[in-house]
Amino acid sequence: MFILSGIPVSPGIAIGHAYILAHALGEIEPYSIPKNKVTHEIKRFNNSVRNLHLELVHLKNELKKNKMIEYGSFIDIQLSILKDPKISEDPKKIIKDTLTNAEWALKIQMDEIISKFNKINNTYIKERKNDVYQVCENLIKYLIGHQSHKVSNDRNQIIVAHDISPSDALKFKNSNNLAFITDIGGTTSHTAILAKSINIPSVVGTQNAKQLINHDDLLIVDGGHGCILVNPPNNVIEEYKIKQNLYEIESKKLLSLQNIPSRTIDKTAINLFVNIEDTNNLSPVIENNTEGVGLFRTEFIFMDQHKMLDENEQFVIYKNLTKSLPNKTLIIRTLDSGGDKIIEHMPHTNQNPALGLRAIRFCLAEPDVFITQIKALLRAAYYGNIQILIPMLSSTNELRQVKLLIQRAKDILSSERKKYNPKTLIGGMIEVPAAAIDIDSFANELDFLSIGTNDLIQYTLAVDRTDDAVSHLYDSSHPALLKLIKGVIDSGTKAGIEVSLCGEMAGDPRLTKLLIGLGLRNFSMHPSSLLKVKKMILESNASKLKYKANKILRSHQKLEIDNLINNLND
Amino acid sequence: MIKKDLIIKNQLGLHARASNKLATLSSKFKSNVEIIYNDEKVDAKNMMDILLLSIGLHDTFTLKIEGSDEKKAFESIAKLVDNFFGEGK
């Protein structure tokens, strides 16, 4: 047994077998193997060759049965490439000579073969390098345990990956995975968000879990403490089964809070909302008696469909939301693409995507996309309390452009004689420090504000939350940040508009009392955090917290701030 | 040992499928079968090696066969080449 540690992002205990997720060739890395493991490594390589051979023969027979024999000859070519000693023998020499892993040996060999193909002038022959590539890629999939024909939602497994991209994440949403483990990422990475949203334990930022864990290893994942036990002995498994039970009992206790109104001891109502990414699982919004949806990240519905949806397709989705959640507030954020969430067909921004053409900037650059979405939202708002949230505003100039486009959308809808709600509330996401600093000018022009702390922290502290080298600097109780949040809340209160907070901070029970003290009354979070936060709310005294929070605002020392926050919670 | 020149007559030359057929056929014999082309010598039992020679229409290559069944091997391979690798043209 050995133990790996990482950043705990979603609590709970999972016991199951590892399923290594890989994008094959793009992801492989060299590592050296000890001399006494060479035979083992070669055996691994031979197995992958044998498995791929069987797969190809099987495929060929299937094609024959289905009378698709013309594809059969392509398979013959791949079988022949596989049989060629350049593929089936030479990598073994590389393993032996350089003491490297089988994947890397194969990659070295493949690169060499492909460079030979590249030198050939005959384009017809040159094209065959794709067959070589495919054969090698499939071998690597076998080597690292990701078999192309096997869908990853069979038995109970723990996904181990270098990283889980947002679109990968979507594929896992409805599968029966027990836990996620990734090499990179932090508390606000998409793996973390996904894991929380489907309520399964997860550990991210383990650095090298994917390298150290083998396919099918037995794992215990302790998502609350961020540790992973690889191939534990039976007594440890038994111990963790007990812990698993205790955790479940604790979760059940929290469940009893579902129907209690969310307000402090001194009767201040604190409104709870849910963040959602799709409309598949809305039951937590109702079951937990929340006020509604505080943030619907619409880019995920586009990523799910792999295309831009037209006005009617979007309208149907938003309208159905009003039907599924009658009498609830539904705050829908317009497309927030770019950064780490890139829809396949959209142009990619290079270099510094977080500071690039994303969110409202992208929408203003592509007004057709924006107007289409606004039209769909305004129409759906006719059927329920839909409010539109504009992400990433950084200047009032942008806000004016947004308003012009919304007006244009309304004009078009009127001329098309479509029903819509002309009084739909328009809110702004405050996540760029410039907007948070010059907040009054935004508060006067908007119907509500929503603080997006994930980006606000990233931009204020200049820390990339996914960069392991600096992620420890990502600090949600940094004095500068607390001052910005306080400023936004005060400004909204002065302007007589609602202010909510929808970043990770809203779901962190450690910060609940502090935020109440800062004057926050609307929290929007992952459903899995709702009850833990509610538990804190029920123990809070808003007027006392206000006083204590002011004291925290006057502090500049991290240690002192942390102590004061702990005092609030004691 | 048999060493003789052959001319490629099929339009596409020794492309993937033809190379595959040649390698598969050569592998059926015990003899060593080699192709010499442009000063390069490759094992005719390895499809990719043949393919990478990039031998086209009207090109001449040398077939060198050595072993107990060399005569039969040469005849079969020469027949495959002469029959346009079964591609008709």
Side-chain angles (χ1 to χ4, degrees), chain A residues 320-331:
Chain A
N320 284 343
L321 193 61
T322 66
K323 290 226 172 106
S324 313
L325 299 173
N327 307 319
K328 298 276 185 193
T329 300
L330 306 167
I331 298 177

Side-chain angles (χ1 to χ4, degrees), chain A residues 28-32 100-101 104 211:
Chain A
I28 58 166
E29 282 166 26
Y31 56 91
S32 51
T100 189
N101 52 323
W104 193 251
Q211 229 174 68

Side-chain angles (χ1 to χ4, degrees), chain A residues 73-74 76-77 80-81 83-87 113 116-117 120-122 124-125 128 131-132, chain B residues 12 14-17 19-20 23-24 27 43 45-49 51-56:
Chain A
S73 61
F74 285 102
D76 280 338
I77 288 167
S80 183
I81 289 171
K83 220 164 58 190
D84 194 298
K86 274 194 161 50
I87 297 289
I113 297 170
K116 281 185 183 163
F117 272 98
I120 287 173
N121 289 323
N122 182 331
Y124 192 85
I125 291 176
R128 297 280 73 75
D131 288 300
V132 177
Chain B
L12 295 171
L14 277 175
H15 61 104
R17 228 173 307 169
S19 299
N20 187 26
T24 312
S27 304
D43 187 342
K45 293 178 182 179
N46 298 345
M47 178 263 194
M48 258 196 297
D49 282 332
L51 186 61
L52 283 165
L53 288 174
S54 184
I55 303 176

